[in-house]
Amino acid sequence: MKTGMGKRTMLLTLIVGFANFYSCTDKSGTENNLKIWYSQPAKIIENEKHNNEREWLKALPLGNGSLGLMVFGDVNRERIQLNEETMWSGSVTDSDNPDAYSALETIRNLLFEGKYREATELTNKTQICKGVGSKPFGPYGSFGTLGDLWIDNGKNSEYQNYHRELDLGDAVVRVSYTQDNVNYLREVFTSHPDQVMVARFTADKPGMISFTCKINRPERFTTHTENDQLVMHGALPDGKGGDGLRYMARLKAVNKKGSVSYTDSTLTVENADEVILFLSASTEYMLKYPVYKGRDYEKITANTIEKAAKESYKNLLKRHLNEYQPYFKRLSFDITKEPVGDVPTDERIKNFRETKSDPHLVELIFQYGRYLLIASSRPGSMPANLQGVWADGIRCPWNGDYHTDVNVEMNYWPAEVTNLSEMHLPLFDLIESLVGPGSKTAEVQYKNSGWVVHPITNLWGYTSPGESAGWGMHTGAGAWICQHIMEHYAFTGDTVFLKRMYPILKGSSEFYLDWLVEDPKTGKLVSGPAVSPENTFVAPDGSKSQISMGPSHDQQVIWNLFTDFLKASETLKVQDEFTQNIKVALGNLAGPKIGSDGRLMEWAEEFPEAEPGHRHISHMFAVHPGVQITVENTPDLAAAAKKSLDYRIANGGGHTGWSAAWLISQYARLQDGEKANANLATVLAKSTSPNLFGQHPPFQMDANFGATAGIAEMLLQSHAGLIHLLPALPAEWPSGEVKGLKARGGFEVDIKWEEGKLVSAHIYSEKANSTRIKYGDIEKEISLLSDEKYEFQIN
Ligand code: FUC
């Protein structure tokens, strides 16, 4: 026990032999608040304008990793908007710039000489990608909608008792209403085990289910009927004037009583007692450089739908629940004992804008982030993109791609700590797939070894810089995305995974070892020409520039990468000339600096910011998600970081959803629960749609994932070499309980608190392990045998 604990006593109880089932236990028993619900449908508006208030943002999302659905719930004309994760336009294209290398040294020298204007001009001329980069409708492509399923009952009579809900506890959308004295119920879910949409239509009187279905999309489709299926298919544009990926969706109905008939554009149900609609969809895409095509999408969609259609609804639901619930129910979070009440979710959000307080809404948004991650990122699927797996147009803002200069990383911040490690796996498949194209980019652009990715990537292995140097020269993206590798390992201890990813970590380290150059003034190693995403400074020559040598962000992500690489090498017992070279480079890397105003510096020199309230806080990577700056180990830098954050916010920072969400984690790491909570309130009040989708605006899912991760950081941290309980608890959550959070080292942690103070914590480890636990000024070393659980109490 640490000295200075005062008169408080700590009870430490060891419970031996707590078996394996602990980690799979359903922890959601205490929750009464897992429903998003409304008293009205999302409206059906033909050709609705793509704005931030659109009805689509009132529809309810379902997803199984690859399929994404948005259920509107209209009584007479149901719209289920459809997504398939690989519905990407575009095609493979060579964007690496062969003119880059010959100008690189000149640019670096100009920057070292303080000639920012010239350096920026030359960077824009020579370093950016060849071609049109990520510009709309080019080969970079975009994620987009698969289309819409319309279910028209041909009526327009009044209805009563309307209720529409998404239950996060079972991932089912339910729509119920009374029409012409008949009570109707629709239940919709997306099954991961069966790879289909299942939508059941029932009524409390026989023969009452009649409707006509169509499937369509804004462009490039035809429909036909085949073996009692309505089939939609086509090819997306390749961005070069031709056809790109081919896709297919199949719809089939299984009825009890009544009849089902098909034409080449419709599926009609008449007078059935009950109907189940099945939908399967796929494209020919494969995440495999350099081919990317080859999935037998016609056969896959045919087989899955036929197989599912043979099963009973009961079995399909059971299989869905058996797969979904063990993920979702690993964690529960309660911060109020008040009953949840009967205020629909859209009203709650409206009210929150006034009251800025609703603990139930906080619980819901936290669990919703977990739900959305399970729905958009299942093992074997593509990672969650800027919109998760949900898009309602043929082109998304920012192409709905993977932005690697914060956004895709933020999507995965909640994965480990909220006990959804498996959902992290698609990100590693993506990272692995970047090594091929990224090695080519490294070689062509910079004559470097290893692999690189710049601030954006897509389904086509795009790794070149963007089309403008101001944001496109984010050379730190590879190091940033690689941070996830050792994070996953730290939480899981999975050495098979580490062995698989080690060459990738090494390849990224090789790139940066070649990339770093000595700053002639300091002798330290610096990265450049590079941006601090996506901020602008006023250079000493008066120009507004983004390009410099050694921006703090790059220095920090490279520090993180080299540190992780050395840890991985040690774990796998690799010690050779290369590890030695990395060790030396790590020692020579320019580190974080505090400016004359006491703030953490964003660039190697004290440049004034052109936009002091900029939404990115890239130089704060070291605080979160990085670990280089901690309150415990580097208090001076932590204090400087806090000053930087406060200054950003005082100047209007945190104004996009993801940006405010990041601030939750930042302040949590700096152990300021009140400011963390204030930024959570900003996300809820300013950046949350009626269906709780995050808004940049426009809709962007990172705000959801960032908010969930931020709440977790407020409750538990384990990045500073110990498990810190309740490091940033705000006064607004005086009592509560969280069960099932994860800490590095593979620990599972339950925490209960009352009147702002810890009551007890349970720490469990499947493997024998030891750690230090911290609460307030109390610290304690504990050692656990495998499958043991400690109870940590304070009286
Ligand atoms: C980053 C941000 C933007 C936006 C885009 C998708 O580059 O700077 O605000 O979120 O990603």
Side-chain angles (χ1 to χ4, degrees):
M1 197 173 299
K2 220 184 152 192
T3 50
M5 210 190 95
K7 287 210 168 80
R8 280 179 288 177
T9 51
M10 184 171 53
L11 288 182
L12 205 65
T13 320
L14 175 66
I15 301 167
V16 185
F18 207 91
N20 269 331
F21 71 80
Y22 179 84
S23 56
C24 329
T25 305
D26 179 347
K27 301 213 167 185
S28 61
T30 51
E31 280 172 303
N32 57 2
N33 179 28
L34 290 172
K35 286 186 182 175
I36 299 176
W37 68 275
Y38 310 91
S39 320
Q40 73 286 332
K43 286 195 198 97
I44 306 300
I45 298 175
E46 294 288 344
N47 304 319
E48 188 181 19
K49 281 214 185 86
H50 215 266
N51 60 41
N52 302 324
E53 275 81 46
R54 65 194 187 280
E55 290 296 312
W56 188 79
L57 292 164
K58 299 174 185 168
L60 287 168
L62 291 166
N64 67 0
S66 52
L67 283 178
L69 307 179
M70 295 291 283
V71 184
F72 281 61
D74 191 83
V75 165
N76 297 323
R77 195 164 177 236
E78 174 65 278
R79 175 185 177 194
I80 302 182
Q81 190 266 315
L82 311 168
N83 289 107
E84 199 281 341
E85 60 174 349
T86 60
M87 283 295 283
W88 262 79
S89 55
S91 48
V92 180
T93 194
D94 177 8
S95 305
D96 297 332
N97 190 341
D99 297 335
Y101 178 72
S102 56
L104 196 55
E105 204 181 325
T106 313
I107 295 168
R108 286 172 170 162
N109 289 337
L110 285 168
L111 289 170
F112 284 134
E113 287 162 21
K115 295 178 179 158
Y116 290 91
R117 196 185 306 272
E118 290 93 322
T120 302
E121 266 168 33
L122 193 56
T123 306
N124 265 316
K125 218 181 265 168
T126 60
Q127 304 298 303
I128 60 164
C129 63
K130 202 169 76 176
V132 295
S134 64
K135 291 225 171 95
F137 308 109
Y140 185 86
S142 174
F143 177 57
T145 182
L146 168 65
D148 288 290
L149 165 61
W150 301 96
I151 304 161
D152 200 329
N153 70 8
K155 293 186 189 169
N156 56 14
S157 48
E158 297 279 295
Y159 56 87
Q160 303 82 33
N161 306 325
Y162 185 89
H163 183 86
R164 176 172 62 112
E165 68 173 37
L166 163 62
D167 187 343
L168 307 185
D170 59 13
V172 177
V173 168
R174 292 182 182 83
V175 178
S176 56
Y177 55 92
T178 308
Q179 191 173 34
D180 302 330
N181 296 319
V182 179
N183 295 316
Y184 290 90
L185 174 65
R186 294 174 199 161
E187 296 148 291
V188 192
F189 63 91
T190 46
S191 166
H192 182 72
D194 288 297
Q195 287 295 308
V196 282
M197 173 201 87
V198 179
R200 180 166 77 161
F201 296 74
T202 49
D204 66 352
K205 290 197 179 121
M208 296 313 296
I209 310 289
S210 297
F211 54 69
T212 296
C213 298
K214 285 189 175 173
I215 354 178
N216 58 18
R217 63 188 307 274
E219 60 166 31
R220 290 174 164 260
F221 77 97
T222 51
T223 58
H224 70 265
T225 180
E226 177 187 314
N227 302 331
D228 282 350
Q229 292 166 16
L230 180 60
V231 181
M232 175 174 73
H233 60 108
L236 300 172
D238 69 355
K240 296 171 183 165
D243 281 352
L245 282 182
R246 289 174 298 169
Y247 68 88
M248 183 165 279
R250 295 172 186 263
L251 181 73
K252 186 179 179 75
V254 173
N255 56 314
K256 279 192 187 153
K257 302 272 174 69
S259 66
V260 177
S261 57
Y262 296 81
T263 71
D264 276 341
S265 59
T266 59
L267 179 167
T268 301
V269 174
E270 281 172 298
N271 307 324
D273 288 355
E274 176 189 313
V275 176
I276 306 174
L277 288 180
F278 296 91
L279 183 128
S280 63
S282 177
T283 75
E284 60 185 323
Y285 182 81
M286 292 189 317
L287 181 63
K288 206 165 182 199
Y289 169 80
V291 232
Y292 295 114
K293 281 185 188 176
R295 190 155 46 153
D296 193 349
Y297 66 111
E298 295 190 25
K299 205 163 156 193
I300 290 170
T301 49
N303 288 349
T304 47
I305 203 160
E306 287 304 333
K307 197 168 156 272
K310 288 196 182 89
E311 294 280 347
S312 68
Y313 181 80
K314 199 171 149 208
N315 274 350
L316 289 161
L317 182 64
K318 197 163 136 200
R319 286 158 59 79
H320 158 67
L321 296 180
N322 285 347
E323 188 265 348
Y324 169 78
Q325 289 184 329
Y327 294 133
F328 185 76
K329 296 200 167 188
R330 283 174 187 168
L331 196 149
S332 69
F333 174 51
D334 284 292
I335 48 169
T336 173
K337 292 193 172 67
E338 291 293 314
V340 67
D342 58 358
V343 182
T345 308
D346 46 348
E347 293 296 321
R348 283 205 111 96
I349 297 163
K350 247 190 236 155
N351 295 344
F352 190 91
R353 286 182 194 138
E354 302 299 317
T355 61
K356 301 280 187 305
S357 173
D358 181 349
H360 279 305
L361 193 58
V362 171
E363 292 169 353
L364 195 59
I365 201 83
F366 175 74
Q367 290 287 26
Y368 195 45
R370 297 183 66 244
Y371 167 83
L372 293 169
L373 192 65
I374 304 171
S376 59
S377 184
R378 285 285 221 295
S381 78
M382 293 299 298
N385 65 35
L386 281 171
Q387 304 200 165
V389 64
W390 298 278
D392 57 337
I394 52 164
R395 182 178 175 257
C396 298
W398 291 282
N399 302 312
D401 69 3
Y402 301 110
H403 263 58
T404 46
D405 66 353
V406 67
N407 316 84
V408 73
E409 288 90 350
M410 185 176 286
N411 287 1
Y412 287 91
W413 290 347
E416 299 296 337
V417 65
T418 75
N419 214 335
L420 294 174
S421 210
E422 297 88 338
M423 310 309 141
H424 212 163
L425 298 175
L427 184 69
F428 302 114
D429 297 339
L430 180 74
I431 297 173
E432 197 168 36
S433 79
L434 295 177
V435 173
S439 302
K440 190 179 138 295
T441 301
E443 167 62 28
V444 173
Q445 293 258 157
Y446 313 120
K447 294 204 188 311
N448 273 4
S449 49
W451 66 276
V452 64
V453 57
H454 294 84
I456 50 172
T457 190
N458 58 4
L459 256 64
W460 307 112
Y462 187 95
T463 48
S464 317
E467 61 269 22
S468 163
W471 57 270
M473 277 305 285
H474 177 222
T475 52
W480 190 340
I481 207 162
C482 277
Q483 193 215 6
H484 288 255
I485 298 172
M486 283 308 273
E487 285 284 271
H488 183 72
Y489 179 72
F491 279 88
T492 61
D494 182 348
T495 37
V496 174
F497 165 81
L498 189 60
K499 279 183 192 151
R500 169 189 159 205
M501 298 308 283
Y502 184 77
I504 298 163
L505 264 184
K506 185 173 178 189
S508 184
S509 304
E510 281 167 346
F511 173 80
Y512 290 105
L513 195 61
D514 285 355
W515 175 249
L516 291 166
V517 290
E518 212 176 277
D519 181 336
K521 277 191 225 124
T522 62
K524 290 284 183 190
L525 293 176
V526 289
S527 162
V531 299
S532 178
E534 301 185 14
N535 209 354
T536 305
F537 56 89
V538 183
D541 62 9
S543 65
K544 285 196 177 160
S545 180
Q546 293 96 4
I547 303 295
S548 73
M549 294 303 291
S552 307
H553 172 81
D554 266 32
Q555 299 301 121
Q556 293 172 9
V557 289
I558 296 168
W559 181 91
N560 205 94
L561 174 73
F562 285 180
T563 305
D564 279 356
F565 172 70
L566 292 173
K567 261 192 236 160
S569 303
E570 210 178 299
T571 309
L572 300 178
K573 303 200 174 17
V574 183
Q575 296 303 323
D576 55 21
E577 203 185 324
F578 185 70
T579 54
Q580 192 48 37
N581 291 343
I582 292 289
K583 225 176 262 169
V584 173
L586 181 61
N588 288 335
L589 208 56
K593 283 193 286 192
I594 301 175
S596 57
D597 57 2
R599 286 190 293 146
L600 193 68
M601 284 166 60
E602 179 153 2
W603 294 279
E605 287 172 58
E606 275 193 72
F607 301 135
E609 296 110 313
E611 195 191 321
H614 197 265
R615 64 194 181 285
H616 284 263
I617 42 170
S618 311
H619 60 311
M620 304 293 292
F621 169 88
V623 176
H624 179 275
V627 299
Q628 196 178 0
I629 299 178
T630 61
V631 170
E632 287 84 2
N633 304 329
T634 57
D636 292 347
L637 287 169
K642 198 160 192 181
K643 259 197 170 163
S644 285
L645 275 188
D646 290 345
Y647 182 84
R648 263 293 149 90
I649 293 163
N651 285 282
H655 52 273
T656 67
W658 65 258
S659 177
W662 193 358
L663 293 172
I664 308 170
S665 287
Q666 287 282 339
Y667 278 116
R669 286 264 172 111
L670 295 169
Q671 300 173 11
D672 187 333
E674 296 314 316
K675 284 192 177 154
N677 194 33
N679 283 289
L680 174 59
T682 303
V683 174
L684 285 168
K686 289 199 186 151
S687 296
T688 301
S689 315
N691 64 1
L692 299 188
F693 270 7
Q695 289 270 1
H696 185 288
F699 157 54
Q700 214 170 274
M701 196 139 275
D702 40 19
N704 290 100
F705 297 131
T708 296
I711 294 168
E713 288 290 331
M714 292 165 78
L715 300 167
L716 180 80
Q717 290 172 20
S718 62
H719 63 288
L722 44 72
I723 294 180
H724 193 170
L725 306 170
L726 304 177
L729 191 68
E732 210 193 329
W733 309 348
S735 301
E737 187 165 22
V738 61
K739 289 185 186 172
L741 285 171
K742 292 294 291 248
R744 288 163 187 80
F747 298 97
E748 188 158 322
V749 183
D750 300 347
I751 312 170
K752 192 173 168 40
W753 67 97
E754 265 166 29
E755 292 170 20
K757 297 214 164 48
L758 182 80
V759 173
S760 68
H762 292 92
I763 297 112
Y764 164 81
S765 175
E766 200 178 309
K767 294 182 194 149
N769 211 343
S770 51
T771 186
R772 209 149 34 108
I773 309 281
K774 174 175 166 156
Y775 171 69
D777 57 359
I778 301 165
E779 285 190 29
K780 176 73 189 168
E781 275 308 317
I782 63 165
S783 279
L784 297 159
L785 298 174
S786 62
D787 271 336
E788 284 183 354
K789 184 167 95 161
Y790 270 105
E791 186 175 344
F792 181 99
Q793 280 188 343
I794 294 193
N795 292 331

